[in-house]
Amino acid sequence: MEILSPIILLAVIGLIAGIGLSLASKFMAVPVDEKQEKVRECLPGANCGACGYSGCDGYAAAVAAGEAEPNKCAPGGASTAKALADLLGVAVEAEPKVAFVGCNGTPECTKQRFEYQGMQSCAAANLVHGGPNACSFGCLGFGDCFRACPFDAIRMENGRPVICVDQCVGCGKCAETCPKSLISLIPQTAKVRVGCSNKQRGPAVVKACSVSCIACMQCEKNCPSGAVKVIDNVAVIDYNLCTGCGKCAEVCKRKVFC
Amino acid sequence: MNNSTAIASILLAGILTNNMVLSKFLGICPFLGVSKKVNTAFSMSIAVTLVMVVASAVTWPIYHYLLMPNYTYLETIVFILVIAAIVQFIEIFLKRFIKPVYNALGIYLPLITTNCAVLGITQINTANQLDFVRSMINALGAGLGFMLAMLLFSGVRERLETANIPEFLKGLPITLISAALVSLSFLGFAGIGG
C-alpha cells in the first residue's frame, strides 16, 4: 500500500494543474478570427516572407482583415491564390512569376578592371569601386543570390547565376540580395527578356561588355505592339503588352535579348 | 558573510561561475538553435529568465510542503508536470492580458516547456537546500547567465556568418567549435563567488 500515496499525490497535482489550465483557457480565451485560421490553413507555411509580411501567420491576419490581396503568396502560387480567393469570395488573377537575372555578361564578354582578392561575395566586391568588372552594372558572379535562394533554384554556371525556372517560386529573396539589383521577377510565360542593365550610353558600354545594350532604339522602333521601351539607356519590356513575337531580338545587333 | 553579500555572491555565481549553458551545459538546445541573431537570442533569454523565476517560485513550496520529507524522490516528475503547466498558464495569461509581450516572446515560450535549464535550476535549488529568497535570486542569476551566454554567442555567430570558414567546417561544426571556445573562456571564472 506504500505505493498508493505517491500515486495519489501525483495524480492530484496533475488533476489540479489540468483543471487549472482548462479553466484558465476558458476564462482567458482570446477570440481568434475564424477566417484567419482558415486562411492560414491554405498557406504553405514556408514563412519565406515573400508576401511582405512577417510570415504565414502575419499574412493570414492581413488577408482575413481584408488588408492584403490573396495573390501575394509566392511559394503557394496560383493554387493558393485560388484557394484564398474562393475562401474570401473574391476574384483573383495570379500569374506565376520567376526570377530573372538582367545580365548576360559572362566573364568572356566583359573585361576585368583590376584583380579582386577580397572576400568572395558580391556584397563585399561591390564595395570596392563597384566590383572588378569593366561593366559596373553587371553581374559580379560571386553567387550571393545562389546562397540566398531557399528553394535551390539557382545554380552557378561559368561564374554566372542560372535560374531553374521549374524550381523558382518567385519569392524574390535573390532580388533582395543582389547588390547590383539585377534580378527582377518576370512572368513565367515571358518569351523575350532583356539581359542587360547598363545605363550608360554608346562607346562606354561597348567597351565594357560585348553583349550590352547601347540604347540604339532599334528594338523600340521595331516592336509591333509597343511593348519595348528604352528607359535610361536600356531596353525594358512591358509584359502586359508583349506578345512574344521576338522582333526585338531579331533586330538587336548586340544580342541583348534572350 | 552578511545577507546582502550572500545574495550578491549567489547572483554572481549564477551568471558567471555556474553559468547554466557554459559551465553546467544545460539548455544547449536553445543555445545552439536560437542564437543566430542577437534579437531572437534576447527574446529567448527573457522568456527563459521569466520562466525560471516563476518555476522556482512555484516548485519551492511544492517541494518543501508537499514532497518533504517522504516523497522527495518524486521531485523530477512532479517538477516536470508543474513546470509544463506553469508555462502553459503563463502563455494563456500573456495572450489575454499582455498581448505585446506575448507577441514578442512568440514561439519561444512554448519551446521552454521542456527546457532542461528550467528543470535544472529548480533541482539545483532543492539540491543546495536554498531558502525561498535565495532560490529566487539563484533562478534570476541563472536566467541572466543564460542571457549573457546567448548574447555573447549570438554575437560570435553573427561574425561567423561573414568569416571565411573552410568548406568542411561550415555550419554546425564551426558553431560547436566556437561554442566550446566560449565555454572554455568561462572556465576562467571558476572560483569567483564560490
Side-chain angles (χ1 to χ4, degrees), chain B residues 55-66:
Chain B
S56 297
V58 176
T59 51
W60 194 88
I62 288 181
Y63 183 80
H64 284 267
Y65 297 114
L66 265 178

Side-chain angles (χ1 to χ4, degrees), chain A residues 112-194:
Chain A
Q112 301 266 301
R113 285 186 294 160
F114 56 87
E115 196 183 337
Y116 176 73
Q117 293 188 327
M119 216 161 71
Q120 297 295 301
S121 94
C122 305
N126 189 36
L127 294 174
V128 186
H129 301 289
N133 290 346
C135 171
S136 58
F137 293 88
C139 176
L140 294 161
F142 292 107
D144 279 14
C145 50
F146 162 71
R147 283 184 288 274
C149 182
F151 300 97
D152 288 336
I154 301 180
R155 60 177 198 277
M156 297 304 286
E157 253 177 37
N158 190 17
R160 287 294 177 270
V162 176
I163 288 163
C164 175
V165 179
D166 295 333
Q167 228 128 294
C168 179
V169 299
C171 70
K173 280 262 152 72
C174 49
E176 276 170 32
T177 313
C178 181
K180 297 289 190 192
S181 299
L182 287 173
I183 305 179
S184 54
L185 295 176
I186 61 165
Q188 201 173 27
T189 49
K191 292 199 179 69
V192 194
R193 293 157 298 183
V194 183

Side-chain angles (χ1 to χ4, degrees), chain B residues 12-29:
Chain B
L12 209 61
I15 297 172
L16 297 177
T17 329
N18 298 330
N19 191 290
M20 222 46 189
V21 181
L22 299 171
S23 302
K24 293 208 186 296
F25 306 112
L26 293 167
I28 297 292
C29 169

Side-chain angles (χ1 to χ4, degrees), chain B residues 98-121:
Chain B
I98 323 174
K99 197 76 195 239
V101 178
Y102 174 78
N103 286 337
L105 295 181
I107 183 73
Y108 305 118
L109 200 51
L111 276 181
I112 310 169
T113 312
T114 47
N115 192 318
C116 59
V118 178
L119 182 65
I121 193 67

Side-chain angles (χ1 to χ4, degrees), chain B:
Chain B
M1 203 153 51
N2 67 35
N3 227 358
S4 58
T5 24
I7 284 169
S9 91
I10 291 174
L11 199 63
L12 209 61
I15 297 172
L16 297 177
T17 329
N18 298 330
N19 191 290
M20 222 46 189
V21 181
L22 299 171
S23 302
K24 293 208 186 296
F25 306 112
L26 293 167
I28 297 292
C29 169
F31 181 62
L32 294 177
V34 222
S35 60
K36 269 194 182 146
K37 295 244 160 63
V38 173
N39 328 2
T40 50
F42 186 68
S43 302
M44 181 70 183
S45 338
I46 294 278
V48 167
T49 311
L50 178 77
V51 171
M52 272 182 176
V53 173
V54 176
S56 297
V58 176
T59 51
W60 194 88
I62 288 181
Y63 183 80
H64 284 267
Y65 297 114
L66 265 178
L67 302 183
M68 287 272 259
N70 295 330
Y71 305 117
T72 46
Y73 61 91
L74 285 176
E75 184 186 339
T76 308
I77 190 165
V78 169
F79 281 11
I80 290 174
L81 190 67
V82 171
I83 291 170
I86 296 169
V87 174
Q88 287 301 311
F89 181 79
I90 293 177
E91 202 190 353
I92 294 169
F93 181 84
L94 288 181
K95 198 174 181 184
R96 177 73 180 84
F97 294 108
I98 323 174
K99 197 76 195 239
V101 178
Y102 174 78
N103 286 337
L105 295 181
I107 183 73
Y108 305 118
L109 200 51
L111 276 181
I112 310 169
T113 312
T114 47
N115 192 318
C116 59
V118 178
L119 182 65
I121 193 67
T122 55
Q123 298 214 307
I124 289 167
N125 285 343
T126 54
N128 292 346
Q129 295 174 334
L130 299 174
D131 62 27
F132 186 75
V133 176
R134 281 170 202 212
S135 294
M136 311 277 13
I137 302 290
N138 195 24
L140 183 67
L144 293 177
F146 183 84
M147 184 184 291
L148 179 69
M150 287 287 275
L151 290 181
L152 283 177
F153 196 55
S154 57
V156 170
R157 280 186 82 169
E158 286 195 350
R159 286 282 188 94
L160 281 180
E161 293 265 306
T162 49
N164 196 3
I165 302 160
E167 195 61 45
F168 69 103
L169 282 176
K170 269 183 186 163
L172 196 59
I174 194 71
T175 309
L176 288 173
I177 290 171
S178 30
L181 291 176
V182 175
S183 169
L184 209 58
S185 71
F186 264 66
L187 210 63
F189 290 118
I192 298 178

